[in-house]
Amino acid sequence: MTARSIRRTTATHSRIAAVGAIAVAGTLLLTGCGDQTKDKDSGSGGASKASAPLADKLPESIRKAGVIKVGSDIAYAPVEFKDDSGKTVGLDPDLADAMGKQLGVKFQFENGTFDALLTGLRSKRYDIAMSAMTDNKSRQDGVDPDTGKKVGEGVDFVDYLTAGVSIYTRKGDTGGIATWSDLCGKKIAVERGTVSEDLAKAEAKKCPSGKKLTIEAFDDDQQAQTRLRSGGADAASSDFPVAAYAVKTSGGGKDFQLVGEQVEAAPYGIAVAKQNTQLRDALQAALNAVIKNGEYQKILAKWGAADGAVKESVINGGK
């Protein structure tokens, strides 16, 4: 995803601390995601309700169901993606499992395109959206970052990580690209609805006559990577953890290289409908319990995101 903006949509899908170098487990491979209407993957669930210390904080309907339905774009390694067996893995699913132990429920990840996740949340298809989604004011207020117009109710965010946005190119073929301003006259591939797309649109407005920045937006980050790999674009952009993972793993590390510095560091948040304050507060309590008991730090270290750790979860910390 890209600091999934808006950051995955407001201007500026990236994540104050920059996420550190990605340490990639060799057994994990980048894989594409399936049909959003069919792909459902239950996480390796929570503990029994009797042993879950925070179960009573959940809404009664979710306690009875024993499941929290999670909308997620499961093609954004290492945050969430499919392994060789088709199982949903990554930083978000691991955090969800740890939180599930505190709450006594399972987090069931359901695949969807990133730019449709908040719509799915509003329609109650999902209970939450957890997908490397940047917490920003536009999303909190339900405002379209391009037009400034109100498009929905907005959501609350339970923040859990910080990260920035990066640009990468084919390895050995940077085309002189080191900053966003170097993209004028070039073509960039991004995931639709992300901060990367927002940043590209903002940069395109600054380009001089005769040096147009062409933006190709795709349903998921895998498609953007494929476009760059094939030579159909000069560069691609996504959140730093994702870009670094792609650089590390694609083609055995021979396909891509990072260029320039990551920008627009901002929090990732779990999106919850405004009216679901009890669920929101339960998630925050579970996340803070996982931070306190040390599981959080181990999970971030496993996925190379330790430098983006937060000391505590806050609500709507994005600007």
Side-chain angles (χ1 to χ4, degrees):
M1 302 177 168
T2 29
R4 288 177 175 201
S5 154
I6 183 173
R7 222 184 134 329
R8 268 174 177 207
T9 271
T10 355
T12 323
H13 178 233
S14 174
R15 296 86 178 321
I16 264 171
V19 174
I22 298 295
V24 179
T27 57
L28 299 176
L29 298 174
L30 288 171
T31 54
C33 51
D35 182 353
Q36 64 176 338
T37 63
K38 298 179 181 179
D39 187 3
K40 298 184 180 181
D41 191 332
S42 296
S44 60
S48 68
K49 295 177 182 177
S51 64
L54 300 177
D56 62 350
K57 289 186 174 293
L58 285 169
E60 183 179 0
S61 60
I62 289 181
R63 285 203 307 272
K64 288 182 176 179
V67 171
I68 293 176
K69 293 180 291 183
V70 185
S72 189
D73 176 7
I74 309 174
Y76 210 56
V79 186
E80 52 260 322
F81 63 109
K82 298 286 186 179
D83 66 11
D84 284 341
S85 70
K87 180 182 178 181
T88 298
V89 297
L91 188 153
D92 280 358
D94 280 359
L95 281 178
D97 282 351
M99 293 165 66
K101 295 174 185 175
Q102 299 293 322
L103 295 168
V105 295
K106 292 185 178 182
F107 284 66
Q108 178 177 289
F109 280 73
E110 303 187 5
N111 193 30
T113 56
F114 184 80
D115 59 356
L117 295 181
L118 293 186
T119 299
L121 186 62
R122 285 193 290 267
S123 68
K124 300 184 179 180
R125 176 179 177 183
Y126 315 123
D127 297 310
I128 64 174
M130 188 175 187
S131 192
M133 184 174 288
T134 300
D135 170 8
N136 55 51
K137 289 295 291 182
S138 292
R139 287 192 171 123
Q140 292 171 24
D141 297 339
V143 171
D144 184 305
D146 290 332
T147 65
K149 294 181 179 179
K150 186 84 169 174
V151 293
E153 177 182 42
V155 296
D156 285 336
F157 285 99
V158 180
D159 294 345
Y160 64 96
L161 184 74
T162 57
V165 175
S166 292
I167 301 170
Y168 57 102
T169 66
R170 289 182 299 281
K171 195 161 189 175
D173 184 18
T174 67
I177 298 169
T179 68
W180 283 87
S181 61
D182 296 327
L183 290 169
C184 293
K186 310 284 188 181
K187 182 184 290 185
I188 188 169
V190 297
E191 181 179 4
R192 187 176 295 106
T194 64
V195 158
S196 290
E197 183 182 22
D198 292 335
L199 289 174
K201 288 179 178 179
E203 194 60 47
K205 295 177 181 178
K206 304 174 187 176
C207 290
S209 177
K211 293 193 71 176
K212 178 183 177 182
L213 167 56
T214 301
I215 303 166
E216 289 197 346
F218 296 89
D219 284 343
D220 63 51
D221 198 67
Q222 298 289 321
Q223 294 172 5
Q225 289 181 29
T226 298
R227 184 64 165 165
L228 175 61
R229 191 183 297 110
S230 69
D234 300 296
S237 176
S238 57
D239 291 350
F240 172 73
V242 177
Y245 187 90
V247 167
K248 187 81 172 181
T249 60
S250 182
K254 297 179 181 179
D255 287 347
F256 304 132
Q257 70 180 78
L258 291 167
V259 294
E261 301 294 327
Q262 57 179 309
V263 299
E264 297 292 336
Y268 281 0
I270 302 170
V272 187
K274 288 284 188 185
Q275 67 271 24
N276 288 347
T277 56
Q278 186 177 358
L279 175 57
R280 179 200 67 192
D281 294 347
L283 293 170
Q284 183 189 28
L287 185 54
N288 279 328
V290 171
I291 292 172
K292 185 175 181 179
N293 70 19
E295 287 184 83
Y296 171 82
Q297 292 79 4
K298 291 177 182 178
I299 292 168
L300 265 59
K302 172 183 175 180
W303 296 106
D307 286 353
V310 298
K311 293 183 179 180
E312 68 174 345
S313 173
V314 300
I315 304 297
N316 295 335
K319 304 302 182 185

